[in-house]
DNA sequence: CCTTGTGAAGCTGTTCACAGCC
DNA sequence: GGCTGTGAACAGCTTCACAAGG
């Protein structure tokens, strides 16, 4: 016996809800709308918004169509209203408390990062394995011991954890977070971590981003020759 | 007159070369291979490597097939040999010098990041607009003035720039980098930057990663109810 | 008119399943 | 026998182009 997932609804979304690619862009649209609102713009077309968000206007409209019909044909979108609808959809009407594990250079920078608070993200706790760091204050938060992690997560009902440890510690920290009840992890450590079903992991890998750019750089320096060869045939 | 792109070559790659999705995973495979080599493993199957890299084995084999046939049927892959082939393909046999613009918390953390050097990335220069930071040493590198950016890029033949400034400065810094000859940019500022054709931009947005996780968290907490409702009808 | 919302087409990426080869 | 390499099927994402509607 197998549970079948309906392949795709008539609108194009699957029964999992909004497509992943769209979810990843909604925060970008929200930021663009907030910026427009700050400039005193009350309404805008899909074209204007798409320029601010750096996407194709058709893609923007398709993305917004998954949320509902919040525009007016012939006119455009009301900036504040659309912003509220997106914020509601992505859960930004509430605050999300996160714990950062590992307060080395990167962890400390994340703790001090100003961009989180306006996006509904609050760094609620800092944890480290290093004795020398425990008890220190970073961004006004006292660093706790790794052993206190379960209690912190339980008391503060934290469901999102950030891993900013060395690669060697990443899997162990992941297991601790998951055991304590965390169901979403943002992993900055350059290591693949394995999690049980139901837990989401996103990975940000600084070296890999640069390696991808380096690949394209390499191609740029050899490509002209290739094209010339093709043309001269 | 229009230049037509061949839709798909027999192998599945387009005439642009290796698919983007594959390029993004090659550094992950390389890291997994390096790790295996450090453990003294001389050869491995696509299955073993796929576990280490956190992907499906069929996907791994398909990805590797774009590079050539570097495995042995019935046996697997020689770790060191395959590692070298991937390194060559992604340009990691040479060092890439990068400039970091903005040495606040994040820029400083990136400057000190240990993971770059082993991946062929060398932080060659640091630049900031703030008078108070110019002349300071971070990770053994003196911070230069923004005005010196063109000279630094020209002298050191830098083609990759990292933006770690506040959002407001991102577009201006981008324009400076591009004017000075940079053709690849890694943007950590929470802003969309526009670049001329031929320049690659990758964006790492810390808030957005967490917002995406928050969206899925929100769904996790409401999904069971939805299912129950559906069932009880 | 204008711009949204959306079927449909086209493209990219993933997975399957098996032929090919050691 | 076992594992790689790969065509083919499938799924998801993007883009087009136009109907719908202010």
């Amino acid at each position: 016996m197998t549970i079948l997932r309906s392949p795709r609804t008539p609108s194009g979304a699957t029964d999992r809800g909004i497509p992943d690619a769209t979810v990843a862009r909604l925060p970008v649209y929200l930021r663009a709308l907030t910026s427009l609102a700050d400039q005193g713009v009350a309404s805008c077309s899909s074209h204007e918004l798409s320029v601010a968000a750096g996407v194709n206007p058709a893609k923007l409209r398709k993305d917004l169509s998954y949320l509902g019909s919040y525009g007016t044909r012939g006119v455009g979108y009301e900036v504040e209203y659309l912003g509220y609808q997106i914020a509601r959809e992505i859960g930004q009407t509430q605050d999300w408390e996160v714990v950062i594990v590992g307060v080395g250079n990167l962890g400390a920078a994340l703790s001090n990062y100003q961009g989180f608070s306006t996006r509904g993200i609050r760094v609620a706790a800092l944890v480290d394995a290093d004795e020398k760091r425990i008890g220190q204050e970073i961004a006004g938060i006292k660093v706790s011991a790794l052993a206190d992690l379960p209690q912190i997560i339980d008391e503060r009902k934290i469901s999102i954890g950030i891993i900013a440890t060395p690669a060697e510690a990443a899997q162990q920290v992941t297991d601790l977070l998951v055991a304590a009840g965390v169901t979403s992890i943002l992993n900055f450590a350059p290591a693949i971590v394995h999690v049980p079903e139901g837990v989401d992991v996103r990975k940000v890998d600084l070296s890999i981003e640069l390696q991808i750019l380096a690949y394209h750089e390499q191609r740029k320096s050899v490509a002209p020759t290739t094209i010339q060869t093709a043309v001269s045939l």
Side-chain angles (χ1 to χ4, degrees), chain A:
Chain A
M1 207 175 78
T2 313
I3 297 165
L4 294 173
R5 285 176 177 278
S6 62
R8 204 179 263 218
T9 64
S11 73
T14 67
D15 59 357
R16 292 199 324 275
I18 299 171
D20 288 344
T22 297
V23 170
R25 283 186 295 263
L26 289 177
V28 179
Y29 302 156
L30 181 52
R31 180 174 296 159
L33 286 165
T34 306
S35 166
L36 286 173
D38 288 349
Q39 292 164 42
V41 178
S43 99
C44 68
S45 67
S46 67
H47 183 260
E48 291 170 86
L49 187 53
S50 75
V51 171
V55 301
N56 169 311
K59 190 191 280 186
L60 170 65
R61 292 202 303 276
K62 181 65 111 183
D63 284 340
L64 295 181
S65 77
Y66 295 121
L67 312 188
S69 288
Y70 296 131
T72 310
R73 292 170 198 236
V75 180
Y77 302 93
E78 211 190 303
V79 171
E80 203 172 326
Y81 178 60
L82 181 59
Y84 171 73
Q85 295 300 339
I86 294 177
R88 190 172 53 79
E89 188 69 41
I90 64 176
Q92 210 184 106
T93 46
Q94 69 174 269
D95 264 22
W96 294 90
E97 301 213 312
V98 304
V99 56
I100 297 177
V101 183
V103 288
N105 284 306
L106 185 60
L110 292 170
S111 310
N112 283 295
Y113 189 60
Q114 301 300 310
F116 288 152
S117 59
T118 52
R119 261 96 219 176
I121 290 148
R122 189 177 303 161
V123 178
L126 304 178
V127 168
D128 203 293
D130 187 343
E131 288 275 349
K132 292 188 285 290
R133 286 176 183 155
I134 297 165
Q136 278 184 10
E137 262 204 17
I138 296 177
I141 304 165
K142 235 188 191 139
V143 178
S144 301
L146 196 59
D148 296 335
L149 193 56
Q151 196 195 336
I152 291 167
I153 288 169
D154 188 57
E155 274 177 8
R156 307 212 53 162
K157 305 264 176 294
I158 293 172
S159 53
I160 301 177
I162 298 178
I163 299 178
T165 66
E168 303 78 54
Q171 185 62 57
Q172 189 203 336
V173 167
T174 300
D175 296 345
L176 285 171
L177 287 169
V178 171
V182 161
T183 46
S184 288
I185 292 172
L186 182 55
N187 179 25
F188 285 92
I192 300 293
V193 298
H194 298 269
V195 292
E197 194 143 337
V199 178
D200 286 318
V201 179
R202 293 187 69 85
K203 191 163 160 304
V204 174
D205 197 310
L206 309 174
S207 297
I208 286 180
E209 296 300 324
L210 287 170
Q211 288 175 276
I212 294 168
L213 288 173
Y215 168 81
H216 291 294
E217 275 303 315
Q218 193 190 28
R219 294 202 93 228
K220 280 175 198 167
S221 52
V222 297
T225 319
T226 312
I227 289 167
Q228 281 185 347
T229 310
V231 168
S232 68
L233 287 177

